[in-house]
Amino acid sequence: MPQGTGRIDWSPEGNHTLAVSVLRRDTYPLITGRGSLSRLPDLVQQISECDSLVAITDDNVAPILLSRVTELLTTFNGRVQTIVIPAGERSKSWAVADQLLTGLCTRNVKRRTLLLALGGGVVCDVVGFVASVFMRGIPYINVPTSLMAQLDAAIGGKTGIDYDGAKNLVGAFHHPAGVLVDPELLVTLPNREISSGLAEAVKVGILNPQLFARLENLTLGPKLDLDSMAAVVEEAIVCKLVLLREDPFEQSLRRFLNLGHTFAHAIEAATGFSAYRHGEAVAIGIAIATTISRDRELCSTKTMNRILACLETCGLSVTLPTSLVAETWERVTVIRRVRNGKLNEVLPVSIGECVIVDEMSYEEYAIAVRTLERRAARPLCREVEGVGP
Ligand SMILES: NC(=O)c1ccc[n+]([C@@H]2O[C@H](COP(=O)([O-])OP(=O)(O)OC[C@H]3O[C@@H](n4cnc5c(N)ncnc54)[C@H](O)[C@@H]3O)[C@@H](O)[C@H]2O)c1
Ligand SMILES: [Zn+2]
Protein backbone atom coordinates (compact mmCIF):
# COMPACT_ATOMS: atom_id res chain seq x y z
CA MET A 1 0.00 0.00 0.00
CA PRO A 2 1.40 3.43 -0.88
CA GLN A 3 2.17 5.65 2.08
CA GLY A 4 2.43 9.37 1.63
CA THR A 5 3.86 12.22 3.61
CA GLY A 6 3.74 15.86 2.75
CA ARG A 7 5.17 19.03 4.23
CA ILE A 8 4.43 22.59 3.28
CA ASP A 9 6.71 25.39 4.45
CA TRP A 10 4.54 28.52 4.18
CA SER A 11 6.47 31.65 3.44
CA PRO A 12 5.08 35.11 4.22
CA GLU A 13 6.19 36.35 0.76
CA GLY A 14 4.01 33.80 -0.92
CA ASN A 15 6.84 31.65 -2.38
CA HIS A 16 5.93 28.39 -0.72
CA THR A 17 8.15 25.33 -0.77
CA LEU A 18 6.21 22.12 -1.04
CA ALA A 19 7.79 18.82 -0.13
CA VAL A 20 5.80 15.75 -0.98
CA SER A 21 7.03 12.19 -0.77
CA VAL A 22 5.23 8.98 -1.60
CA LEU A 23 6.62 5.72 -0.34
CA ARG A 24 5.45 2.62 -2.06
CA ARG A 25 6.36 -0.99 -1.57
CA ASP A 26 5.21 -3.68 -4.01
CA THR A 27 5.29 -7.25 -2.81
CA TYR A 28 3.84 -10.09 -4.80
CA PRO A 29 3.84 -13.88 -4.69
CA LEU A 30 5.82 -15.80 -7.30
CA ILE A 31 4.75 -19.43 -7.58
CA THR A 32 7.11 -21.66 -9.52
CA GLY A 33 7.75 -25.34 -10.21
CA ARG A 34 6.69 -28.08 -12.61
CA GLY A 35 2.92 -28.52 -12.54
CA SER A 36 2.34 -25.28 -10.66
CA LEU A 37 -0.40 -24.16 -13.10
CA SER A 38 -2.82 -26.14 -10.91
CA ARG A 39 -2.13 -23.57 -8.18
CA LEU A 40 -3.56 -20.72 -10.27
CA PRO A 41 -6.82 -20.61 -8.24
CA ASP A 42 -4.74 -20.16 -5.04
CA LEU A 43 -2.82 -17.28 -6.59
CA VAL A 44 -6.00 -15.54 -7.77
CA GLN A 45 -7.56 -16.15 -4.36
CA GLN A 46 -4.65 -14.31 -2.70
CA ILE A 47 -5.48 -11.17 -4.68
CA SER A 48 -8.63 -11.00 -2.67
CA GLU A 49 -9.86 -7.53 -3.57
CA CYS A 50 -10.72 -8.56 -7.16
CA ASP A 51 -14.25 -9.47 -8.14
CA SER A 52 -13.79 -10.24 -11.86
CA LEU A 53 -11.02 -11.35 -14.16
CA VAL A 54 -10.06 -10.90 -17.83
CA ALA A 55 -7.57 -13.44 -19.22
CA ILE A 56 -5.62 -12.10 -22.20
CA THR A 57 -3.56 -14.32 -24.47
CA ASP A 58 -2.36 -14.56 -28.07
CA ASP A 59 -3.78 -16.64 -30.90
CA ASN A 60 -0.98 -19.24 -30.70
CA VAL A 61 -1.34 -19.84 -26.98
CA ALA A 62 -5.16 -19.64 -26.89
CA PRO A 63 -5.84 -23.04 -28.54
CA ILE A 64 -3.18 -24.70 -26.35
CA LEU A 65 -3.91 -23.26 -22.89
CA LEU A 66 -6.86 -20.88 -22.66
CA SER A 67 -9.59 -23.44 -21.94
CA ARG A 68 -7.37 -25.16 -19.34
CA VAL A 69 -6.89 -21.84 -17.59
CA THR A 70 -10.57 -20.86 -17.66
CA GLU A 71 -11.51 -24.32 -16.36
CA LEU A 72 -9.09 -23.86 -13.47
CA LEU A 73 -10.77 -20.55 -12.72
CA THR A 74 -14.28 -21.97 -12.37
CA THR A 75 -13.71 -21.85 -8.59
CA PHE A 76 -13.07 -18.09 -8.83
CA ASN A 77 -15.88 -16.18 -7.22
CA GLY A 78 -16.47 -13.69 -10.04
CA ARG A 79 -16.91 -13.26 -13.77
CA VAL A 80 -14.13 -14.58 -16.03
CA GLN A 81 -13.84 -13.13 -19.54
CA THR A 82 -11.19 -13.56 -22.25
CA ILE A 83 -9.49 -11.54 -25.00
CA VAL A 84 -7.22 -12.99 -27.70
CA ILE A 85 -4.69 -10.79 -29.55
CA PRO A 86 -2.53 -11.69 -32.57
CA ALA A 87 0.75 -13.46 -31.70
CA GLY A 88 4.08 -11.74 -32.30
CA GLU A 89 6.12 -8.63 -31.52
CA ARG A 90 3.83 -6.47 -33.66
CA SER A 91 1.22 -6.80 -30.94
CA LYS A 92 3.43 -4.69 -28.67
CA SER A 93 1.86 -1.71 -30.37
CA TRP A 94 -0.36 1.25 -29.65
CA ALA A 95 -3.02 -0.32 -31.89
CA VAL A 96 -3.20 -3.52 -29.82
CA ALA A 97 -3.02 -1.60 -26.52
CA ASP A 98 -5.94 0.50 -27.79
CA GLN A 99 -7.83 -2.63 -28.84
CA LEU A 100 -7.31 -4.04 -25.34
CA LEU A 101 -8.45 -0.82 -23.64
CA THR A 102 -11.60 -0.82 -25.80
CA GLY A 103 -12.06 -4.51 -24.98
CA LEU A 104 -11.89 -3.75 -21.26
CA CYS A 105 -14.47 -0.95 -21.61
CA THR A 106 -16.90 -3.13 -23.57
CA ARG A 107 -16.48 -5.87 -20.95
CA ASN A 108 -17.44 -3.36 -18.29
CA VAL A 109 -14.13 -3.70 -16.47
CA LYS A 110 -13.84 -1.81 -13.19
CA ARG A 111 -10.99 -1.04 -10.84
CA ARG A 112 -11.51 -4.33 -9.01
CA THR A 113 -10.92 -6.40 -12.12
CA LEU A 114 -7.79 -8.53 -12.34
CA LEU A 115 -6.05 -8.94 -15.71
CA LEU A 116 -4.29 -12.25 -16.37
CA ALA A 117 -1.53 -12.23 -18.98
CA LEU A 118 -1.19 -15.73 -20.41
CA GLY A 119 1.58 -15.90 -22.97
CA GLY A 120 5.10 -14.91 -23.91
CA GLY A 121 6.93 -11.66 -23.28
CA VAL A 122 4.74 -9.82 -25.79
CA VAL A 123 1.52 -10.62 -23.93
CA CYS A 124 3.12 -9.89 -20.51
CA ASP A 125 4.52 -6.54 -21.71
CA VAL A 126 1.39 -5.24 -23.44
CA VAL A 127 -1.05 -6.48 -20.77
CA GLY A 128 1.16 -5.00 -18.03
CA PHE A 129 1.21 -1.70 -19.90
CA VAL A 130 -2.56 -1.65 -20.33
CA ALA A 131 -2.98 -2.54 -16.64
CA SER A 132 -0.68 0.37 -15.73
CA VAL A 133 -2.76 2.99 -17.55
CA PHE A 134 -6.34 1.71 -17.31
CA MET A 135 -8.07 3.67 -14.53
CA ARG A 136 -4.57 4.85 -13.47
CA GLY A 137 -3.57 1.29 -12.74
CA ILE A 138 -5.38 -1.99 -12.13
CA PRO A 139 -3.82 -5.26 -10.92
CA TYR A 140 -2.57 -7.98 -13.27
CA ILE A 141 -0.92 -11.34 -12.90
CA ASN A 142 1.53 -12.99 -15.28
CA VAL A 143 1.30 -16.63 -16.28
CA PRO A 144 4.26 -16.76 -18.68
CA THR A 145 4.25 -19.53 -21.29
CA SER A 146 7.49 -18.91 -23.23
CA LEU A 147 10.97 -19.47 -21.82
CA MET A 148 11.83 -15.78 -22.33
CA ALA A 149 8.79 -14.70 -20.35
CA GLN A 150 9.27 -17.32 -17.60
CA LEU A 151 12.83 -16.36 -16.78
CA ASP A 152 12.72 -12.67 -17.60
CA ALA A 153 9.74 -10.72 -19.00
CA ALA A 154 7.13 -11.79 -16.43
CA ILE A 155 9.20 -10.60 -13.49
CA GLY A 156 10.34 -7.11 -12.61
CA GLY A 157 7.43 -4.85 -13.50
CA LYS A 158 8.83 -3.38 -16.72
CA THR A 159 5.89 -3.06 -19.10
CA GLY A 160 5.66 -1.42 -22.48
CA ILE A 161 5.06 -1.29 -26.20
CA ASP A 162 7.20 -0.45 -29.21
CA TYR A 163 6.47 3.01 -30.58
CA ASP A 164 7.58 5.16 -33.52
CA GLY A 165 9.91 2.37 -34.69
CA ALA A 166 11.67 2.19 -31.33
CA LYS A 167 11.60 -0.76 -28.96
CA ASN A 168 9.80 -0.28 -25.61
CA LEU A 169 9.64 3.50 -26.11
CA VAL A 170 6.32 3.79 -24.32
CA GLY A 171 5.82 1.99 -21.03
CA ALA A 172 5.74 2.09 -17.28
CA PHE A 173 7.01 0.32 -14.19
CA HIS A 174 3.94 -1.50 -12.95
CA HIS A 175 4.62 -4.60 -10.89
CA PRO A 176 2.33 -7.60 -11.27
CA ALA A 177 0.12 -8.65 -8.36
CA GLY A 178 1.43 -12.20 -8.76
CA VAL A 179 3.40 -14.45 -11.11
CA LEU A 180 3.00 -18.16 -11.77
CA VAL A 181 5.81 -19.95 -13.62
CA ASP A 182 5.15 -23.54 -14.67
CA PRO A 183 8.02 -24.89 -16.82
CA GLU A 184 5.75 -27.71 -18.06
CA LEU A 185 3.98 -25.14 -20.23
CA LEU A 186 7.15 -25.03 -22.32
CA VAL A 187 6.54 -28.47 -23.89
CA THR A 188 4.65 -26.95 -26.81
CA LEU A 189 7.12 -24.10 -27.37
CA PRO A 190 9.01 -24.34 -30.71
CA ASN A 191 12.79 -24.98 -30.46
CA ARG A 192 13.57 -21.58 -31.97
CA GLU A 193 11.71 -19.91 -29.09
CA ILE A 194 13.60 -22.05 -26.55
CA SER A 195 16.90 -20.81 -27.95
CA SER A 196 15.60 -17.24 -28.00
CA GLY A 197 14.71 -17.49 -24.30
CA LEU A 198 18.10 -18.99 -23.50
CA ALA A 199 19.77 -15.79 -24.75
CA GLU A 200 18.35 -13.96 -21.71
CA ALA A 201 19.52 -16.83 -19.49
CA VAL A 202 23.07 -16.41 -20.89
CA LYS A 203 22.77 -12.68 -20.17
CA VAL A 204 22.11 -13.27 -16.46
CA GLY A 205 24.51 -16.22 -16.51
CA ILE A 206 27.32 -13.83 -17.43
CA LEU A 207 26.62 -12.25 -14.03
CA ASN A 208 26.35 -15.62 -12.28
CA PRO A 209 29.05 -18.32 -12.76
CA GLN A 210 26.83 -21.19 -11.55
CA LEU A 211 24.07 -20.49 -14.07
CA PHE A 212 26.65 -19.88 -16.79
CA ALA A 213 28.24 -23.30 -16.17
CA ARG A 214 24.82 -24.94 -16.39
CA LEU A 215 24.17 -23.27 -19.74
CA GLU A 216 27.62 -24.20 -21.10
CA ASN A 217 26.80 -27.84 -20.41
CA LEU A 218 23.28 -27.79 -21.82
CA THR A 219 22.35 -30.35 -24.48
CA LEU A 220 19.52 -29.28 -26.73
CA GLY A 221 17.83 -32.21 -28.43
CA PRO A 222 14.67 -32.48 -30.52
CA LYS A 223 12.77 -33.28 -27.29
CA LEU A 224 12.85 -30.69 -24.54
CA ASP A 225 14.59 -31.79 -21.31
CA LEU A 226 12.05 -30.30 -18.92
CA ASP A 227 14.10 -30.96 -15.80
CA SER A 228 17.13 -29.07 -17.01
CA MET A 229 14.96 -26.29 -18.45
CA ALA A 230 13.13 -25.97 -15.11
CA ALA A 231 16.51 -25.65 -13.37
CA VAL A 232 17.61 -22.92 -15.82
CA VAL A 233 14.33 -21.04 -15.28
CA GLU A 234 14.62 -21.22 -11.51
CA GLU A 235 18.27 -20.14 -11.35
CA ALA A 236 17.75 -17.30 -13.83
CA ILE A 237 14.74 -16.02 -11.85
CA VAL A 238 16.75 -16.05 -8.62
CA CYS A 239 19.64 -14.14 -10.31
CA LYS A 240 17.22 -11.53 -11.65
CA LEU A 241 15.45 -11.19 -8.30
CA VAL A 242 18.76 -10.55 -6.52
CA LEU A 243 19.37 -7.56 -8.81
CA LEU A 244 15.76 -6.33 -8.56
CA ARG A 245 15.76 -6.48 -4.79
CA GLU A 246 18.57 -3.95 -4.65
CA ASP A 247 17.35 -1.80 -7.53
CA PRO A 248 13.64 -2.09 -8.39
CA PHE A 249 13.57 0.98 -10.68
CA GLU A 250 16.78 0.43 -12.67
CA GLN A 251 18.92 3.13 -11.11
CA SER A 252 22.06 1.03 -10.70
CA LEU A 253 22.59 -2.75 -10.50
CA ARG A 254 19.58 -3.65 -12.60
CA ARG A 255 21.16 -1.87 -15.56
CA PHE A 256 23.46 -4.90 -15.97
CA LEU A 257 20.40 -6.76 -17.25
CA ASN A 258 20.64 -4.57 -20.34
CA LEU A 259 23.74 -6.46 -21.49
CA GLY A 260 23.52 -6.86 -25.28
CA HIS A 261 20.28 -4.89 -25.46
CA THR A 262 21.44 -1.66 -27.15
CA PHE A 263 22.51 -3.67 -30.18
CA ALA A 264 19.56 -6.06 -29.84
CA HIS A 265 17.00 -3.24 -29.90
CA ALA A 266 18.85 -1.63 -32.82
CA ILE A 267 18.84 -4.91 -34.80
CA GLU A 268 15.15 -5.48 -34.07
CA ALA A 269 14.26 -1.93 -35.14
CA ALA A 270 16.47 -2.19 -38.25
CA THR A 271 14.58 -5.30 -39.34
CA GLY A 272 11.05 -4.06 -38.61
CA PHE A 273 10.64 -6.24 -35.47
CA SER A 274 9.99 -9.28 -37.64
CA ALA A 275 13.17 -11.03 -38.84
CA TYR A 276 14.72 -11.77 -35.46
CA ARG A 277 13.25 -13.18 -32.29
CA HIS A 278 14.12 -10.84 -29.39
CA GLY A 279 16.56 -13.39 -27.92
CA GLU A 280 18.27 -13.93 -31.27
CA ALA A 281 18.98 -10.20 -31.44
CA VAL A 282 20.13 -10.24 -27.79
CA ALA A 283 22.60 -13.06 -28.58
CA ILE A 284 24.19 -11.02 -31.38
CA GLY A 285 24.19 -7.97 -29.08
CA ILE A 286 25.96 -9.89 -26.31
CA ALA A 287 28.49 -11.22 -28.84
CA ILE A 288 29.28 -7.72 -30.16
CA ALA A 289 29.54 -6.23 -26.64
CA THR A 290 31.83 -9.09 -25.55
CA THR A 291 34.09 -8.74 -28.58
CA ILE A 292 34.38 -4.97 -28.02
CA SER A 293 35.22 -5.71 -24.38
CA ARG A 294 38.01 -8.10 -25.45
CA ASP A 295 39.33 -5.56 -27.97
CA ARG A 296 39.45 -2.96 -25.16
CA GLU A 297 41.33 -5.54 -23.06
CA LEU A 298 38.57 -5.45 -20.44
CA CYS A 299 37.99 -9.19 -20.79
CA SER A 300 40.30 -11.99 -21.90
CA THR A 301 40.09 -13.88 -25.19
CA LYS A 302 39.29 -16.98 -23.12
CA THR A 303 36.24 -15.28 -21.52
CA MET A 304 35.12 -14.02 -24.93
CA ASN A 305 35.39 -17.50 -26.43
CA ARG A 306 33.47 -19.03 -23.51
CA ILE A 307 30.61 -16.54 -23.94
CA LEU A 308 30.42 -17.00 -27.71
CA ALA A 309 30.55 -20.80 -27.39
CA CYS A 310 27.85 -20.75 -24.69
CA LEU A 311 25.52 -18.75 -26.96
CA GLU A 312 26.13 -21.26 -29.75
CA THR A 313 25.49 -24.20 -27.38
CA CYS A 314 22.10 -22.58 -26.76
CA GLY A 315 21.42 -22.74 -30.51
CA LEU A 316 22.05 -19.03 -31.16
CA SER A 317 23.96 -17.36 -33.96
CA VAL A 318 26.46 -14.67 -32.98
CA THR A 319 27.00 -12.92 -36.31
CA LEU A 320 25.33 -9.83 -37.74
CA PRO A 321 24.71 -10.09 -41.50
CA THR A 322 26.76 -7.52 -43.47
CA SER A 323 23.56 -6.09 -44.95
CA LEU A 324 22.46 -4.96 -41.46
CA VAL A 325 25.72 -3.40 -40.20
CA ALA A 326 25.06 0.20 -41.30
CA GLU A 327 21.33 0.26 -40.49
CA THR A 328 21.93 -1.25 -37.04
CA TRP A 329 24.48 1.48 -36.23
CA GLU A 330 21.98 4.12 -37.43
CA ARG A 331 19.53 2.77 -34.87
CA VAL A 332 22.22 2.70 -32.16
CA THR A 333 22.75 6.43 -32.70
CA VAL A 334 18.98 7.01 -32.35
CA ILE A 335 19.07 5.08 -29.04
CA ARG A 336 22.05 7.20 -27.93
CA ARG A 337 20.00 10.37 -28.59
CA VAL A 338 17.09 9.00 -26.53
CA ARG A 339 19.55 8.31 -23.69
CA ASN A 340 20.82 11.90 -23.68
CA GLY A 341 23.99 11.09 -25.57
CA LYS A 342 25.19 8.26 -23.33
CA LEU A 343 24.97 4.67 -24.52
CA ASN A 344 25.40 3.06 -21.07
CA GLU A 345 26.64 -0.12 -22.72
CA VAL A 346 27.24 -3.14 -20.52
CA LEU A 347 30.50 -4.99 -21.25
CA PRO A 348 31.46 -8.36 -19.70
CA VAL A 349 34.76 -8.38 -17.79
CA SER A 350 34.69 -11.99 -16.62
CA ILE A 351 32.02 -14.58 -15.89
CA GLY A 352 30.48 -12.94 -12.83
CA GLU A 353 31.46 -9.34 -13.57
CA CYS A 354 30.41 -6.63 -16.03
CA VAL A 355 31.07 -2.90 -16.36
CA ILE A 356 29.02 -0.08 -17.87
CA VAL A 357 30.72 2.25 -20.34
CA ASP A 358 29.28 5.49 -21.68
CA GLU A 359 30.60 5.46 -25.20
CA MET A 360 31.44 3.22 -28.12
CA SER A 361 32.71 4.21 -31.56
CA TYR A 362 31.51 3.03 -34.94
CA GLU A 363 35.04 1.73 -35.64
CA GLU A 364 35.15 -0.61 -32.67
CA TYR A 365 31.63 -1.82 -33.45
CA ALA A 366 32.57 -2.53 -37.08
CA ILE A 367 35.79 -4.31 -36.04
CA ALA A 368 33.85 -6.49 -33.58
CA VAL A 369 31.27 -7.39 -36.23
CA ARG A 370 34.06 -8.38 -38.66
CA THR A 371 35.85 -10.44 -35.98
CA LEU A 372 32.65 -12.40 -35.34
CA GLU A 373 32.11 -12.91 -39.05
CA ARG A 374 35.67 -14.26 -39.53
CA ARG A 375 35.26 -16.52 -36.50
CA ALA A 376 32.05 -17.97 -37.96
CA ALA A 377 33.75 -18.58 -41.30
CA ARG A 378 36.75 -20.41 -39.77
CA PRO A 379 35.24 -23.88 -39.13
CA LEU A 380 33.85 -23.80 -42.67
CA CYS A 381 37.33 -23.02 -44.07
CA ARG A 382 38.79 -25.88 -42.05
CA GLU A 383 36.20 -28.23 -43.54
CA VAL A 384 36.95 -27.00 -47.05
CA GLU A 385 40.69 -27.29 -46.39
CA GLY A 386 40.14 -30.84 -45.17
CA VAL A 387 38.50 -31.92 -48.43
CA GLY A 388 40.71 -33.35 -51.19
CA PRO A 389 43.39 -35.97 -51.65
N1 LIG B 1 9.52 -6.65 -19.54
C1 LIG B 1 10.69 -7.25 -19.48
O1 LIG B 1 11.40 -7.15 -18.48
C2 LIG B 1 11.14 -8.08 -20.64
C3 LIG B 1 12.22 -8.95 -20.50
C4 LIG B 1 12.58 -9.75 -21.58
C5 LIG B 1 11.87 -9.67 -22.77
N2 LIG B 1 10.84 -8.79 -22.87
C6 LIG B 1 10.07 -8.68 -24.12
O2 LIG B 1 9.48 -9.95 -24.40
C7 LIG B 1 9.25 -10.05 -25.80
C8 LIG B 1 9.72 -11.39 -26.29
O3 LIG B 1 9.10 -12.41 -25.56
P1 LIG B 1 8.89 -13.86 -26.21
O4 LIG B 1 10.16 -14.31 -26.79
O5 LIG B 1 8.21 -14.68 -25.21
O6 LIG B 1 7.95 -13.53 -27.46
P2 LIG B 1 6.42 -13.86 -27.76
O7 LIG B 1 5.56 -13.41 -26.69
O8 LIG B 1 6.19 -13.36 -29.13
O9 LIG B 1 6.39 -15.46 -27.75
C9 LIG B 1 7.12 -16.17 -28.69
C10 LIG B 1 6.23 -17.07 -29.55
O10 LIG B 1 5.94 -18.25 -28.83
C11 LIG B 1 4.53 -18.46 -28.79
N3 LIG B 1 4.26 -19.16 -27.54
C12 LIG B 1 4.34 -18.64 -26.29
N4 LIG B 1 4.14 -19.61 -25.39
C13 LIG B 1 3.92 -20.76 -26.06
C14 LIG B 1 3.68 -22.11 -25.68
N5 LIG B 1 3.67 -22.48 -24.39
N6 LIG B 1 3.51 -23.02 -26.65
C15 LIG B 1 3.59 -22.66 -27.97
N7 LIG B 1 3.82 -21.42 -28.39
C16 LIG B 1 3.99 -20.47 -27.45
C17 LIG B 1 3.92 -17.10 -28.95
O11 LIG B 1 2.62 -17.17 -29.44
C18 LIG B 1 4.89 -16.44 -29.93
O12 LIG B 1 4.57 -16.85 -31.24
C19 LIG B 1 10.02 -8.89 -26.44
O13 LIG B 1 9.14 -7.90 -26.84
C20 LIG B 1 10.90 -8.39 -25.32
O14 LIG B 1 11.19 -7.02 -25.45
C21 LIG B 1 10.46 -8.00 -21.84
ZN1 LIG C 1 15.55 -8.72 -23.38
Side-chain angles (χ1 to χ4, degrees), residues 254-277:
R254 188 174 173 168
R255 291 192 298 162
F256 287 125
L257 293 175
N258 294 332
L259 169 60
H261 277 64
T262 307
F263 292 118
H265 290 170
I267 294 165
E268 287 182 273
T271 51
F273 299 105
S274 55
Y276 286 89
R277 309 293 311 119

Short mmCIF file of all heavy atoms in Angstrom, two decimals, residues 254-277:
data_model
loop_
_atom_site.label_atom_id
_atom_site.label_comp_id
_atom_site.label_asym_id
_atom_site.label_seq_id
_atom_site.Cartn_x
_atom_site.Cartn_y
_atom_site.Cartn_z
N ARG A 254 20.47 -3.03 -11.64
CA ARG A 254 19.58 -3.65 -12.60
C ARG A 254 19.98 -3.33 -14.05
O ARG A 254 19.62 -4.04 -14.98
CB ARG A 254 18.15 -3.18 -12.32
CG ARG A 254 17.11 -3.90 -13.12
CD ARG A 254 15.72 -3.50 -12.69
NE ARG A 254 14.74 -4.08 -13.59
CZ ARG A 254 13.45 -4.11 -13.37
NH1 ARG A 254 12.96 -3.62 -12.27
NH2 ARG A 254 12.63 -4.64 -14.24
N ARG A 255 20.76 -2.25 -14.20
CA ARG A 255 21.16 -1.87 -15.56
C ARG A 255 22.03 -2.95 -16.22
O ARG A 255 22.13 -3.01 -17.43
CB ARG A 255 21.91 -0.53 -15.53
CG ARG A 255 20.97 0.62 -15.18
CD ARG A 255 21.62 1.94 -15.44
NE ARG A 255 22.80 2.10 -14.61
CZ ARG A 255 23.77 2.99 -14.84
NH1 ARG A 255 23.70 3.80 -15.86
NH2 ARG A 255 24.79 3.09 -14.05
N PHE A 256 22.66 -3.82 -15.39
CA PHE A 256 23.46 -4.90 -15.97
C PHE A 256 22.60 -5.85 -16.80
O PHE A 256 23.09 -6.54 -17.68
CB PHE A 256 24.20 -5.69 -14.87
CG PHE A 256 25.35 -4.92 -14.28
CD1 PHE A 256 25.43 -4.71 -12.91
CD2 PHE A 256 26.35 -4.40 -15.09
CE1 PHE A 256 26.48 -3.99 -12.37
CE2 PHE A 256 27.41 -3.68 -14.55
CZ PHE A 256 27.48 -3.47 -13.19
N LEU A 257 21.29 -5.88 -16.48
CA LEU A 257 20.40 -6.76 -17.25
C LEU A 257 20.19 -6.25 -18.67
O LEU A 257 19.52 -6.89 -19.48
CB LEU A 257 19.04 -6.90 -16.54
CG LEU A 257 19.07 -7.63 -15.20
CD1 LEU A 257 17.71 -7.59 -14.53
CD2 LEU A 257 19.51 -9.07 -15.39
N ASN A 258 20.73 -5.08 -18.98
CA ASN A 258 20.64 -4.57 -20.34
C ASN A 258 21.79 -5.04 -21.22
O ASN A 258 21.92 -4.60 -22.36
CB ASN A 258 20.59 -3.03 -20.34
CG ASN A 258 19.31 -2.54 -19.69
OD1 ASN A 258 18.29 -3.23 -19.73
ND2 ASN A 258 19.35 -1.37 -19.07
N LEU A 259 22.63 -5.94 -20.68
CA LEU A 259 23.74 -6.46 -21.49
C LEU A 259 23.24 -6.94 -22.86
O LEU A 259 22.29 -7.72 -22.94
CB LEU A 259 24.41 -7.64 -20.72
CG LEU A 259 25.42 -8.49 -21.50
CD1 LEU A 259 26.58 -7.66 -22.00
CD2 LEU A 259 25.94 -9.62 -20.61
N GLY A 260 23.86 -6.45 -23.91
CA GLY A 260 23.52 -6.86 -25.28
C GLY A 260 22.30 -6.18 -25.85
O GLY A 260 21.97 -6.33 -27.03
N HIS A 261 21.58 -5.39 -25.02
CA HIS A 261 20.28 -4.89 -25.46
C HIS A 261 20.32 -3.64 -26.33
O HIS A 261 19.38 -3.40 -27.08
CB HIS A 261 19.35 -4.70 -24.26
CG HIS A 261 18.69 -5.99 -23.86
ND1 HIS A 261 19.41 -7.07 -23.39
CD2 HIS A 261 17.39 -6.39 -23.90
CE1 HIS A 261 18.57 -8.06 -23.15
NE2 HIS A 261 17.33 -7.67 -23.45
N THR A 262 21.39 -2.82 -26.24
CA THR A 262 21.44 -1.66 -27.15
C THR A 262 21.48 -2.19 -28.59
O THR A 262 20.69 -1.78 -29.44
CB THR A 262 22.71 -0.82 -26.89
OG1 THR A 262 22.76 -0.50 -25.51
CG2 THR A 262 22.71 0.45 -27.71
N PHE A 263 22.42 -3.12 -28.83
CA PHE A 263 22.51 -3.67 -30.18
C PHE A 263 21.26 -4.47 -30.54
O PHE A 263 20.77 -4.41 -31.67
CB PHE A 263 23.76 -4.56 -30.32
CG PHE A 263 25.03 -3.77 -30.23
CD1 PHE A 263 25.94 -3.99 -29.21
CD2 PHE A 263 25.32 -2.78 -31.16
CE1 PHE A 263 27.10 -3.25 -29.11
CE2 PHE A 263 26.48 -2.03 -31.07
CZ PHE A 263 27.38 -2.27 -30.05
N ALA A 264 20.74 -5.23 -29.56
CA ALA A 264 19.56 -6.06 -29.84
C ALA A 264 18.38 -5.18 -30.28
O ALA A 264 17.74 -5.45 -31.30
CB ALA A 264 19.17 -6.85 -28.59
N HIS A 265 18.14 -4.11 -29.55
CA HIS A 265 17.00 -3.24 -29.90
C HIS A 265 17.26 -2.58 -31.26
O HIS A 265 16.33 -2.40 -32.06
CB HIS A 265 16.77 -2.19 -28.81
CG HIS A 265 16.23 -2.79 -27.54
ND1 HIS A 265 16.14 -2.08 -26.37
CD2 HIS A 265 15.75 -4.03 -27.26
CE1 HIS A 265 15.62 -2.86 -25.41
NE2 HIS A 265 15.40 -4.05 -25.94
N ALA A 266 18.52 -2.24 -31.53
CA ALA A 266 18.85 -1.63 -32.82
C ALA A 266 18.63 -2.63 -33.96
O ALA A 266 18.06 -2.28 -35.00
CB ALA A 266 20.31 -1.15 -32.81
N ILE A 267 19.03 -3.88 -33.75
CA ILE A 267 18.84 -4.91 -34.80
C ILE A 267 17.35 -5.15 -35.03
O ILE A 267 16.89 -5.23 -36.17
CB ILE A 267 19.54 -6.24 -34.38
CG1 ILE A 267 21.06 -6.07 -34.32
CG2 ILE A 267 19.17 -7.38 -35.32
CD1 ILE A 267 21.80 -7.19 -33.59
N GLU A 268 16.59 -5.24 -33.93
CA GLU A 268 15.15 -5.48 -34.07
C GLU A 268 14.48 -4.32 -34.83
O GLU A 268 13.65 -4.54 -35.71
CB GLU A 268 14.49 -5.64 -32.70
CG GLU A 268 14.80 -6.95 -32.01
CD GLU A 268 14.08 -7.06 -30.67
OE1 GLU A 268 14.64 -6.60 -29.66
OE2 GLU A 268 12.96 -7.59 -30.64
N ALA A 269 14.86 -3.09 -34.47
CA ALA A 269 14.26 -1.93 -35.14
C ALA A 269 14.68 -1.90 -36.61
O ALA A 269 13.87 -1.60 -37.50
CB ALA A 269 14.67 -0.65 -34.43
N ALA A 270 15.96 -2.23 -36.87
CA ALA A 270 16.47 -2.19 -38.25
C ALA A 270 15.79 -3.22 -39.14
O ALA A 270 15.78 -3.10 -40.37
CB ALA A 270 17.98 -2.42 -38.24
N THR A 271 15.21 -4.24 -38.54
CA THR A 271 14.58 -5.30 -39.34
C THR A 271 13.06 -5.32 -39.15
O THR A 271 12.41 -6.34 -39.37
CB THR A 271 15.18 -6.68 -38.96
OG1 THR A 271 15.14 -6.82 -37.52
CG2 THR A 271 16.61 -6.83 -39.42
N GLY A 272 12.52 -4.19 -38.70
CA GLY A 272 11.05 -4.06 -38.61
C GLY A 272 10.42 -5.00 -37.60
O GLY A 272 9.26 -5.40 -37.74
N PHE A 273 11.15 -5.39 -36.56
CA PHE A 273 10.64 -6.24 -35.47
C PHE A 273 10.07 -7.57 -35.99
O PHE A 273 9.16 -8.12 -35.40
CB PHE A 273 9.55 -5.52 -34.66
CG PHE A 273 10.06 -4.27 -34.00
CD1 PHE A 273 9.72 -3.03 -34.50
CD2 PHE A 273 10.89 -4.35 -32.89
CE1 PHE A 273 10.21 -1.87 -33.90
CE2 PHE A 273 11.37 -3.20 -32.28
CZ PHE A 273 11.03 -1.96 -32.79
N SER A 274 10.59 -8.05 -37.13
CA SER A 274 9.99 -9.28 -37.64
C SER A 274 11.01 -10.37 -37.97
O SER A 274 10.72 -11.56 -37.84
CB SER A 274 9.13 -8.98 -38.87
OG SER A 274 9.90 -8.31 -39.83
N ALA A 275 12.23 -10.01 -38.38
CA ALA A 275 13.17 -11.03 -38.84
C ALA A 275 13.78 -11.82 -37.68
O ALA A 275 14.04 -13.02 -37.80
CB ALA A 275 14.27 -10.38 -39.67
N TYR A 276 14.03 -11.13 -36.59
CA TYR A 276 14.72 -11.77 -35.46
C TYR A 276 13.78 -11.93 -34.28
O TYR A 276 13.01 -11.02 -33.97
CB TYR A 276 15.91 -10.91 -34.99
CG TYR A 276 17.09 -10.97 -35.92
CD1 TYR A 276 17.20 -10.07 -36.99
CD2 TYR A 276 18.08 -11.92 -35.75
CE1 TYR A 276 18.27 -10.14 -37.86
CE2 TYR A 276 19.16 -11.99 -36.60
CZ TYR A 276 19.25 -11.10 -37.66
OH TYR A 276 20.32 -11.18 -38.51
N ARG A 277 13.89 -13.06 -33.60
CA ARG A 277 13.25 -13.18 -32.29
C ARG A 277 14.05 -12.27 -31.34
O ARG A 277 15.26 -12.07 -31.55
CB ARG A 277 13.30 -14.64 -31.78
CG ARG A 277 12.80 -15.68 -32.75
CD ARG A 277 11.31 -15.57 -33.01
NE ARG A 277 10.57 -15.47 -31.78
CZ ARG A 277 9.80 -14.41 -31.45
NH1 ARG A 277 9.64 -13.41 -32.30
NH2 ARG A 277 9.18 -14.37 -30.29
#
